[in-house]
Amino acid sequence: MSRVVQIAKTQIGYVEKAGNDTIYGEWFGMNGTAWCGIFVSWSFYQAGKPIGKIDYLKGFAGCQ
């Protein structure tokens, strides 16, 4: 788990572009949407521990 946290920490200070566009949404295929869950999925993937299909092929997108 610590590798996932290390990856996430590297993103401190990252800001989304206009319209909620992010590198995380681009990776997930849902750019321009809320990206809270997408960021978690991206962090696990970057750490070499993809969480697999939950709501979507690459993980989950929202924190409802």
Side-chain angles (χ1 to χ4, degrees):
M1 180 66 79
S2 63
R3 180 71 180 135
V4 175
V5 173
Q6 289 173 343
I7 295 289
K9 283 183 173 182
T10 68
Q11 300 304 296
I12 293 173
Y14 179 84
V15 293
E16 61 194 28
K17 299 174 183 121
N20 284 342
D21 287 348
T22 65
I23 58 173
Y24 323 115
E26 185 177 325
W27 165 82
F28 200 79
M30 290 180 62
N31 216 359
T33 63
W35 49 276
C36 50
I38 293 173
F39 175 72
V40 173
S41 298
W42 178 88
S43 296
F44 273 85
Y45 181 84
Q46 295 300 314
K49 300 173 186 272
I51 58 177
K53 185 177 181 183
I54 295 177
D55 289 332
Y56 299 90
L57 186 61
K58 292 184 177 180
F60 67 102
C63 300
Q64 311 62 305

